[in-house]
Amino acid sequence: MTDTIYKGGAAFIEGKFVPISEARLPVGDWGFTHSDVTYDVVHVTDGAFFRLDTHLDRFAKSLKGYRLDPGYSREEMRQILGKCVALSELQDAFVAMISTRGIPRVYGSRNPLDCDNTFIAYSVPWVDVIKPDVQARGAHLIVSETPRISPLSLDPTLKNYMWRDFTRGMFEALDKGADTAILLDQEGYLTEGAGFNVFIVKGKDVITPDRGALEGITRLSVLDICPELGLEGKIAPITYEDLMDADEVFTATTAGGVMPCSRVDGKIYGNDRPGPISTKIKDLYWQKHKDGWNMTPVNYADAENPFAVTADA
């Protein structure tokens, strides 16, 4: 059995495991002062990680892109993530891996090479970026007047906390009585929303933007399972007109899975409920979890050896 102090959440920070309530970031860390940080999030469902190694691959890409070195090997990070989950005893969890630039060794330095980069991990109860009751009736979205930050300034395929454009969009959505917002780029093409990818359905085509968006793991999973439903998954440019002409719209993210929408900018899709194709994709996505697809079980009985298997099944 694990220590009950970790129930509800466990973190790894400054080289040790602590209850999530005790995890703190120093105010001088550039991750806080400059948003000089990268991260990734993987989910645990029914006691097993989903596509853990794929998330570690993406985290490695982000680390390289931001020239961060967390000081731990891939396998060490994998074991730390597993131990966080085992300590927390959470069967359904939101699990994060983070690397910040750190605090400069030379006070007042603006040289990133003067910083010692960090590695932080934590496991907390599962969260849905769009609440389950909203998913059930279909999310109501707006297209924000705020454009997505240019990929010339910030590579959207590298995970980051630079959310000023998303936050402005979310305020726009709330002001208009909607649930959340999706953003276009400066040329008018669809990108993504705050922590989720977007898909449109047109006939048998299931299309997600080819620009301005994270290469989401749930996005990848949707594209993987489309052929099983006789659908063609595509990565392609999507205009506002394409969005308004779609048969269905849905979003996808690690924290929530496949999340159908029923309205965008006041347009009602179908019968103002989740569409049939979106629903089939959502149902198959979760069924494949239960079938063990890309799942890595957690060994809760021994937090020091958190994996019953050594690789994704």
Side-chain angles (χ1 to χ4, degrees):
M1 295 293 292
T2 57
D3 195 320
T4 56
I5 65 170
Y6 296 107
K7 283 190 175 181
F12 177 84
I13 189 167
E14 296 183 335
K16 61 183 180 181
F17 292 90
V18 298
I20 191 65
S21 61
E22 296 179 13
R24 299 286 188 273
L25 187 70
V27 295
D29 192 309
W30 282 18
F32 172 69
T33 61
H34 298 167
S35 196
D36 193 350
V37 56
T38 194
Y39 74 105
D40 215 288
V41 173
V42 56
H43 72 247
V44 169
T45 300
D46 294 332
F49 281 93
F50 180 63
R51 303 195 87 146
L52 174 56
D53 287 330
T54 311
H55 281 278
L56 286 165
D57 288 342
R58 190 173 64 181
F59 188 52
K61 177 185 175 183
S62 294
L63 291 171
K64 181 178 180 180
Y66 289 124
R67 297 177 66 173
L68 288 161
D69 180 0
Y72 291 85
S73 70
R74 176 193 177 97
E75 182 57 26
E76 286 172 331
M77 291 188 287
R78 189 174 186 275
Q79 293 294 318
I80 290 167
L81 293 169
K83 185 171 179 178
C84 283
V85 174
L87 288 172
S88 68
E89 298 186 354
L90 293 167
Q91 293 289 315
D92 300 294
F94 175 101
V95 188
M97 58 198 92
I98 301 165
S99 182
T100 70
R101 188 68 61 191
I103 300 173
R105 294 181 299 278
V106 179
Y107 181 76
S109 174
R110 293 297 184 267
N111 183 348
L113 296 178
D114 286 337
C115 297
D116 293 318
N117 308 158
T118 71
F119 178 68
I120 302 165
Y122 64 83
S123 170
V124 291
W126 168 273
V127 296
D128 292 276
V129 300
I130 296 178
K131 294 179 180 179
D133 60 326
V134 174
Q135 294 183 42
R137 61 123 157 103
H140 298 170
L141 311 181
I142 65 157
V143 177
S144 174
E145 296 176 6
T146 302
R148 184 77 175 98
I149 292 174
S150 170
L152 297 177
S153 299
L154 187 67
D155 185 345
T157 69
L158 306 179
K159 293 278 281 184
N160 62 82
Y161 287 139
M162 296 290 289
W163 272 36
R164 297 310 303 168
D165 51 353
F166 290 142
T167 301
R168 288 178 63 185
M170 286 188 283
F171 273 118
E172 289 178 47
L174 294 172
D175 288 344
K176 294 178 180 179
D179 300 308
T180 190
I182 49 180
L183 277 60
L184 305 178
D185 67 11
Q186 296 182 15
E187 296 179 339
Y189 288 96
L190 185 62
T191 63
E192 60 184 349
F196 57 82
N197 292 113
V198 185
F199 286 82
I200 66 170
V201 178
K202 188 65 177 178
K204 293 292 186 181
D205 292 334
V206 179
I207 312 165
T208 194
D210 66 345
R211 64 197 67 195
L214 181 71
E215 295 170 345
I217 307 304
T218 311
R219 170 182 180 257
L220 171 64
S221 300
V222 168
L223 295 171
D224 284 347
I225 66 179
C226 274
E228 296 185 40
L229 295 170
L231 303 169
E232 185 171 355
K234 296 180 177 181
I235 301 172
I238 300 173
T239 65
Y240 182 79
E241 291 73 23
D242 294 331
L243 179 65
M244 291 294 102
D245 190 48
D247 300 330
E248 301 178 31
V249 177
F250 66 90
T251 64
T253 182
T254 290
V258 176
M259 305 176 295
C261 307
S262 58
R263 300 184 187 183
V264 178
D265 272 1
K267 176 183 174 177
I268 295 175
Y269 294 82
N271 62 354
D272 203 18
R273 304 296 293 179
I277 289 178
S278 302
T279 300
K280 286 180 181 178
I281 293 171
K282 177 179 181 176
D283 290 346
L284 182 56
Y285 173 78
W286 289 115
Q287 182 58 52
K288 290 180 78 67
H289 279 63
K290 294 183 182 300
D291 294 342
W293 183 57
N294 289 310
M295 304 300 286
T296 304
V298 177
N299 179 14
Y300 291 89
D302 183 2
E304 299 301 324
N305 181 30
F307 294 109
V309 294
T310 58
D312 286 355

